[in-house]
Amino acid sequence: MKRVLILLLFFSANLNATNGYFSHGIGTKSKSMAGAGVSLGEDAASGALNPANLVLVGGRLELGGSLFLPDRGFRANNDATGPVQIAPMTYDSENSLFLIPQFAYSRQLDEDRAIGVALVMNGLNTEYDDEIFRYFQRPGWEATSPTGVDLYQMVLHLPYSHRVSDRLALGIAPILALQAFRAKGLNPFGAVSLYPDDVTNNGFDYSRGLGLSLGVNFRPVDRIALGLSVQSRLRMSEFDDYRGLFAEHGDFDIPATFQVGASFRLSDGLELALDYQRIYYSNIASVGNPNDIPLMTPILGADDGIGGGWRDARVFKAGIRWQYDPQTVLRAGYSHGNQIIPPNQALLNILAPAVGRDHYTVGFSRQLSKEHEVSLSLMYSPREELKGTNPNTSGQTGTLYMEQTELEISYAWIF
């Protein structure tokens, strides 16, 4: 299993995501519509978005990858009223060009049943070439450089889809998940941890777990399709080497999600998809617990230990699909989400400045022959800033920022 994770790290080093640490979409076609498409079955990757869709897809093998370009960091202002603060300046995270692989497969068992495999990859990364927390240190707890975190998630969906009638399909997908995490430069926080040796600089630790997703695709009339997908919380093993950093003694489950939507055929060749997604970050203590509490006694690693203070993500997605000619489909989309980081939770979120909310996308698919197809999507998430503070930095204010661009291409063999 560790070899699999090492390969994951090699191919997706310093992966960053767009709705918290989840990607804005699943599969090249959905991504080119800003992640909409829970009611559409267009490719094998849609089996991870909604397992019921797979029976609408046919036999396909899809391989691809994306170039991801994030620009993220924070600015600390010179307005602290005490010595415990972040040194005032602008901090830009290193690493700004990454490769993320993609894989999906679907197979028709018969006219009404299909199975498949789909790989989804999420995560986040920051690396600041500085001793960010040097003014937090105490004797024996000196900060080191660089400062940052790496979180990688590889989620493998195994969907099964069954067509109950001409208008209704149901789906189920067992889910296998692997995670890798490491933290660097957080040494001063060992002084307020239940497990001071398990806070930082311990290299990569690994976690594995299971979950399940269920899906429905219903077409009440010829021009309307409805879709619903629910993914359970993925119960993961604990990060033992970081049990002094994460709440609940190193627990870091992957949150439950659901996505619901509808697609409307406006005319021959033109289709509109509208989706709503919710990601339950607040239910994961290591992510949802607040960090605007005084760090005076050992609390990191406890059940009520500090987290990111994240709210649940609520994302509205809209996409257009246009059959330009028999071989070409053009797509575009826009999504908008709430701000998941409250302004008073800025302290630990300098390690994960996931403040992006808007995503603009375009893309296309081209049928090269009866057995071959290529798809492309381009996403741009404009620079988003969040101004905030935290009681642990002597009233100091600052700004988190994030801007992202992603280009993805995939190739499909159709059989």
Side-chain angles (χ1 to χ4, degrees):
M1 186 168 291
K2 285 191 175 182
R3 291 180 180 177
V4 174
L5 279 163
I6 290 170
L7 287 174
L8 164 64
L9 298 177
F10 176 78
F11 284 110
S12 62
N14 300 311
L15 172 66
N16 221 80
T18 54
N19 290 315
Y21 50 80
F22 278 42
S23 178
H24 71 285
I26 296 176
T28 308
K29 294 181 179 180
S30 173
K31 283 186 172 183
S32 64
M33 297 173 65
V38 72
S39 59
L40 299 174
E42 291 203 274
D43 54 17
S46 70
L49 177 60
N50 180 354
N53 288 345
L54 209 63
V55 76
L56 309 175
V57 171
R60 296 172 63 94
L61 171 63
E62 299 160 4
L63 297 175
S66 63
L67 292 175
F68 190 70
L69 296 88
D71 179 19
R72 68 269 191 230
F74 70 98
R75 181 173 60 253
N77 298 326
N78 188 18
D79 56 2
T81 59
V84 181
Q85 60 177 294
I86 307 295
M89 61 179 289
T90 296
Y91 299 83
D92 295 313
S93 179
E94 302 290 328
N95 311 315
S96 57
L97 178 61
F98 316 114
L99 175 64
I100 306 170
Q102 178 188 332
F103 166 76
Y105 170 78
S106 63
R107 179 187 175 190
Q108 292 287 140
L109 299 177
D110 56 36
E111 193 173 280
D112 296 321
R113 298 178 301 149
I115 58 173
V117 180
L119 177 67
V120 176
M121 303 182 71
N122 300 311
L124 58 83
N125 153 271
T126 49
E127 183 176 329
Y128 302 109
D129 190 19
D130 203 289
E131 299 167 0
I132 298 286
F133 297 109
R134 58 185 176 272
Y135 294 130
F136 285 66
Q137 62 194 22
R138 305 175 187 179
W141 302 102
E142 288 77 17
T144 60
S145 177
T147 304
V149 298
D150 296 275
L151 171 66
Y152 309 100
Q153 297 177 339
M154 183 171 68
V155 183
L156 192 67
H157 297 249
L158 304 171
Y160 168 77
S161 179
H162 180 72
R163 194 195 316 266
V164 179
S165 69
D166 290 341
R167 298 194 177 276
L168 176 64
L170 305 176
I172 185 171
I175 301 172
L176 310 176
L178 301 174
Q179 294 189 120
F181 177 83
R182 70 176 174 183
K184 297 176 286 187
L186 308 184
N187 311 64
F189 291 97
V192 290
S193 174
L194 296 181
Y195 311 101
D197 294 331
D198 298 316
V199 172
T200 190
N201 295 15
N202 288 333
F204 275 105
D205 195 10
Y206 304 95
S207 171
R208 57 200 63 84
L210 302 169
L212 189 72
S213 71
L214 303 172
V216 178
N217 187 295
F218 178 55
R219 299 173 183 261
V221 296
D222 289 343
R223 290 184 173 268
I224 298 177
L226 308 176
L228 170 66
S229 178
V230 179
Q231 179 176 301
S232 72
R233 177 171 175 160
L234 306 188
R235 301 286 179 174
M236 309 298 294
S237 60
E238 295 178 349
F239 286 120
D240 292 331
D241 291 343
Y242 292 97
R243 60 178 180 161
L245 176 62
F246 291 129
E248 298 182 332
H249 317 282
D251 190 57
F252 200 102
D253 289 345
I254 298 176
T257 69
F258 83 85
Q259 188 162 327
V260 62
S263 55
F264 308 89
R265 192 182 308 163
L266 304 179
S267 63
D268 290 343
L270 185 63
E271 203 159 8
L272 170 68
L274 301 174
D275 285 18
Y276 171 76
Q277 181 187 37
R278 183 157 184 164
I279 308 171
Y280 290 90
Y281 288 120
S282 66
N283 291 342
I284 309 300
S286 294
V287 177
N289 281 5
N291 62 72
D292 61 340
I293 55 178
L295 299 179
M296 303 297 292
T297 59
I299 189 169
L300 269 75
D303 289 346
D304 57 350
I306 67 173
W310 285 16
R311 307 181 180 109
D312 293 342
R314 300 185 298 275
V315 188
F316 295 90
K317 309 180 180 192
I320 286 285
R321 179 188 184 279
W322 178 32
Q323 186 80 45
Y324 175 74
D325 62 34
Q327 290 78 39
T328 308
V329 176
L330 305 179
R331 299 179 181 86
Y334 168 72
S335 73
H336 176 76
N338 62 311
Q339 183 53 258
I340 63 174
I341 302 176
N344 63 338
Q345 303 292 322
L347 178 62
L348 286 188
N349 283 301
I350 64 178
L351 303 174
V355 296
R357 296 193 297 166
D358 296 299
H359 302 88
Y360 300 89
T361 64
V362 294
F364 71 89
S365 295
R366 177 73 178 178
Q367 196 86 26
L368 304 178
S369 68
K370 188 177 180 180
E371 294 84 18
H372 300 276
E373 178 189 69
V374 64
S375 297
L376 180 143
S377 70
L378 176 64
M379 179 276 292
Y380 176 65
S381 179
R383 183 182 175 105
E384 182 82 25
E385 295 187 352
L386 175 68
K387 297 179 180 179
T389 186
N390 190 283
N392 293 291
T393 55
S394 306
Q396 183 181 28
T397 62
T399 302
L400 308 177
Y401 68 86
M402 174 77 79
E403 180 180 358
Q404 299 171 335
T405 305
E406 182 188 61
L407 175 65
E408 179 167 301
I409 187 169
S410 61
Y411 194 91
W413 288 264
I414 305 168
F415 50 90

